[in-house]
Amino acid sequence: MLSNISSAWPELIQALLETLYMLVLTIPIAVAIGTPLGTVLFLTRPNSFLKWPRFYVILNGFVNLIRSFPFLILMIAIIPFTRMVVGTALGTTAATVPMIINAVPYFARFIEQILLDVNRGVVEAAESMGANKFQIVWKVLYTEARSGIANAITIVTVSFLSYSTVAGLVGGGGIGDFAIRYGYYRYQTDVMFVTIVIMVLFVQAFQFAGNYVVRKLDKRL
Amino acid sequence: MITLHNISKTFATAEGPLHAVSSASLEVEQGDIYGLIGFSGAGKSTLLRTINLLERPDEGSVIVDGEEFTGLPLRELRKRRLSIGMIFQHFNLLNNRNVYDNVSFPLEIAKVPKAQRRQRIESCLEMVGLSDKAKAFPAKLSGGQKQRVAIARALAGNPKILLCDEPTSSVDPQTTGSILAALQEINRNLGITIVIVTHEMNVVKAICNKVAVMEQGKIVEKFDLREKNIAPQSPIAKYLFKNEITLVREMEASYA
Ligand SMILES: Nc1ncnc2c1ncn2[C@@H]1O[C@H](COP(=O)(O)OP(=O)(O)O)[C@@H](O)[C@H]1O
Ligand SMILES: [Mg+2]
């Protein structure tokens, strides 16, 4: 049994690194694009700061459209696009393209909701001091929402650890690919077990780190 | 200092148009502590908020320091708002900024250089007696302390006017006294004109020199409280003034 594990070990490490690579590419890009996108969604909502109702309808519909694709189907559907961007539809980098496309609107929705939860009274106080919209977003909304944003990053990271395994199905490598090869084709339950333990530890570590940051940022209580 | 002329504001609600303020006129002079009193829903907050155009009236004019506000472009209006402080029932402090940085906020909005902010912030905190709490976060403060931080924040921009929307309505009676004392001090020492919305005659009696009584969007009566004989005519004004007398009698009874 131990021999199974030790012979699979180098590949397991490799698979973990690939998964990590996918996350390191996906999450920062999702945050960098999803934050402004979610902010625009928030600002253009009905009864919000910017009266651009048609713009909101279009943007909102577009976000919903992408969000409504099941991840596996999205991945297959955009293969031509992935080829165009990365040059190939195979491999770990190619797998991150659908992950990013899925993560951006997902994260944007989080941001929209978090900003909605910011106390309107504080925004009003800032307006009474002559703050413009940019200052309200930057100095009020993001300041008050920062722990919520950190929490959203944690949730998205854990979710995409899971999505990244689907990438394994279409040659993306990573921990999902590893699990299919060892757990499914070779039926090595012991290797599968070790993999699961490692994943659980990963998720726990992300969550723990995330919660720690959230607590540090949140001064509301 | 502030002239509100024939202000009307109607909100569209699910049940149809709601006339929150109807043809209200008010004249606030330099140095006044002007009370706006009435029951909940009378339109006091809406009227107060037209002064800095947080609420834009459908009709009427808002003249502050000789300048008509309603015609100003938003950019200009924002500059004027810097010289009108405002405090709220629920304080509305930034929870993720400490006391010092909350007071710093309006100065940052006004793009005051950092070096000049420090002294201003410190003197504002000193004015409200919270110099020792500079590093504390709002969540760690009592209601009265939070409101005093809000006052310090409102003072940071050197305002000529301070608008107060039920500033004592979510603190206990003892704390009410300390907040009102701070407001009175600001009025006396800095010459800041104050407009204060409240539903408590006690608050009006404690610090106001003038009061307007509102009911269903209308100003029904105004009083100069420095006059000897105050003879309310409208039922609501009679009630509000009488209510106060009853309270006093009850207090005397409890001491007897
Ligand atoms: N933004 C708004 N939309 C719809 N109705 C409002 C709005 N603001 C205030 N109102 C209504 O206008 C009336 C007056 O409100 P307000 O000025 O807050 O009264 P007060 O401060 O005297 O309690 C109330 O009936 C209130 O529900
Ligand atoms: Mg009110």
Side-chain angles (χ1 to χ4, degrees), chain A residues 68-142:
Chain A
S68 57
F69 274 85
F71 183 60
L72 183 61
I73 293 173
L74 176 81
M75 200 154 76
I76 296 165
I78 65 155
I79 282 177
F81 176 75
T82 306
R83 260 204 207 103
M84 214 172 74
V85 178
V86 198
T88 168
L90 288 175
T92 314
T93 308
T96 58
V97 173
M99 283 175 71
I100 290 166
I101 288 177
N102 194 272
V104 166
Y106 184 30
F107 195 72
R109 278 280 180 249
F110 263 117
I111 294 291
E112 184 187 14
Q113 187 56 49
I114 292 163
L115 297 184
L116 269 173
D117 288 341
V118 173
N119 179 1
R120 290 287 314 187
V122 185
V123 173
E124 185 163 277
E127 279 181 317
S128 82
M129 292 176 239
N132 61 32
K133 294 188 181 79
F134 180 80
Q135 289 168 322
I136 287 174
V137 169
W138 199 252
K139 287 182 177 285
V140 180
L141 295 176
Y142 287 170

Side-chain angles (χ1 to χ4, degrees), chain B residues 71-109:
Chain B
L72 286 176
L74 197 54
R75 187 182 294 263
E76 289 303 310
L77 180 63
R78 287 196 187 111
K79 284 187 202 153
R80 304 301 183 281
R81 281 179 179 164
L82 288 170
S83 58
I84 305 177
M86 190 165 191
I87 62 172
F88 307 84
Q89 177 174 0
H90 299 294
F91 325 122
N92 296 350
L93 299 173
L94 284 141
N95 288 312
N96 282 334
R97 279 180 173 230
N98 65 22
V99 165
Y100 183 95
D101 291 333
N102 262 286
V103 180
S104 170
F105 187 84
L107 301 171
E108 293 168 31
I109 295 297

Side-chain angles (χ1 to χ4, degrees), chain A residues 39-97:
Chain A
T39 307
V40 171
L41 279 170
F42 168 79
L43 291 174
T44 58
R45 281 173 72 91
N47 297 321
S48 190
F49 293 81
L50 300 173
K51 305 283 175 255
W52 303 349
R54 240 179 271 155
F55 180 85
Y56 179 77
V57 168
I58 294 168
L59 196 64
N60 189 47
F62 187 68
V63 165
N64 281 344
L65 179 77
I66 299 179
R67 295 272 296 123
S68 57
F69 274 85
F71 183 60
L72 183 61
I73 293 173
L74 176 81
M75 200 154 76
I76 296 165
I78 65 155
I79 282 177
F81 176 75
T82 306
R83 260 204 207 103
M84 214 172 74
V85 178
V86 198
T88 168
L90 288 175
T92 314
T93 308
T96 58
V97 173

Side-chain angles (χ1 to χ4, degrees), chain B residues 39-46 49 89 165-166 197:
Chain B
F39 297 132
S40 173
K44 309 178 295 290
S45 299
T46 306
R49 291 152 47 86
Q89 177 174 0
D165 194 349
E166 308 257 7
V197 162

